[in-house]
Amino acid sequence: TYKDVIEISKQEFDKHLPINRLMCESIGVKKGHQIVFKTAKRTILLKDDGEMKQYEYGCDMDNTPLTLIHELEPNDEEWYFINLQTATIDTLVGDPVFYPHTYMIVCLEGMGTDMKQRIQISELKNGRFKTIFWFRLKRELHPGLVYWFNKRTIFLNDNSKKFYKLTF
């Protein structure tokens, strides 16, 4: 669990806003209604169901065999890092935000889901993202943006225009 949640000012929140969110260049290309990855071990096919489920190509992560994919459904979404060498798939609850110059990420579960929002913190080890921390947020907190302040602190805002610093 987290150690502390402190309300902060909008000025403090804005003062530390990051410039780069990902360690990869997003090209946002959707290849028809399916995305195919040929890995060293197998072929992975992600196919829209034509009605509800859609996949979007996110990006290839710099200096790794990882590709980011976004899966969207009504009231649900997930993000996947697919390892193109091992064919392993790591699931994230939201768009990953990297800690600068590391492979540590924080993800905020999408507001459009039916789930109580969570924050996931993971780190890349041996070609896989291992979750280090899960935070279940209080029901009254509905964050729209999360980013790193330092390796043990994240900032987030919520829909009532309040700003918080969460230390873990």
Side-chain angles (χ1 to χ4, degrees), residues 13-140:
F13 182 83
D14 290 346
K15 181 174 154 184
H16 301 286
L17 274 172
I19 296 169
N20 296 325
R21 291 178 51 88
L22 286 174
M23 291 181 65
C24 61
E25 187 158 334
S26 178
I27 58 174
V29 172
K30 184 161 184 185
K31 300 176 181 177
H33 295 285
Q34 66 183 23
I35 302 172
V36 179
F37 295 101
K38 293 185 191 287
T39 71
K41 296 192 175 201
R42 65 185 171 107
T43 298
I44 298 172
L45 172 65
L46 303 173
K47 188 174 182 178
D48 293 357
D49 67 6
E51 209 170 295
M52 303 293 227
K53 186 180 290 192
Q54 296 180 3
Y55 292 96
E56 294 179 352
Y57 179 85
C59 61
D60 296 324
M61 199 167 111
D62 293 345
N63 304 313
T64 72
L66 301 175
T67 294
L68 182 65
I69 297 293
H70 187 194
E71 178 189 277
L72 297 132
E73 292 186 63
N75 303 319
D76 194 20
E77 66 178 327
E78 290 180 326
W79 296 78
Y80 304 112
F81 269 116
I82 299 174
N83 187 315
L84 299 179
Q85 290 177 344
T86 63
T88 56
I89 300 173
D90 296 314
T91 304
L92 308 174
V93 297
D95 185 8
V97 179
F98 283 84
Y99 186 78
H101 313 295
T102 71
Y103 291 114
M104 245 176 109
I105 58 174
V106 61
C107 303
L108 173 63
E109 189 161 32
M111 289 188 302
T113 69
D114 285 339
M115 305 293 290
K116 183 176 173 185
Q117 278 191 288
R118 300 174 291 168
I119 294 174
Q120 176 184 22
I121 296 179
S122 301
E123 187 168 19
L124 183 65
K125 290 188 178 180
N126 301 321
R128 302 285 315 261
F129 274 98
K130 304 289 182 192
T131 298
I132 302 168
F133 296 106
W134 279 108
F135 303 115
R136 291 207 180 276
L137 298 173
K138 296 176 183 177
R139 196 143 309 267
E140 62 271 11

Side-chain angles (χ1 to χ4, degrees), residues 2-18:
Y2 47 87
K3 291 181 185 175
D4 203 9
V5 176
I6 300 169
E7 190 170 341
I8 60 173
S9 70
K10 180 178 182 349
Q11 291 78 19
E12 178 72 7
F13 182 83
D14 290 346
K15 181 174 154 184
H16 301 286
L17 274 172

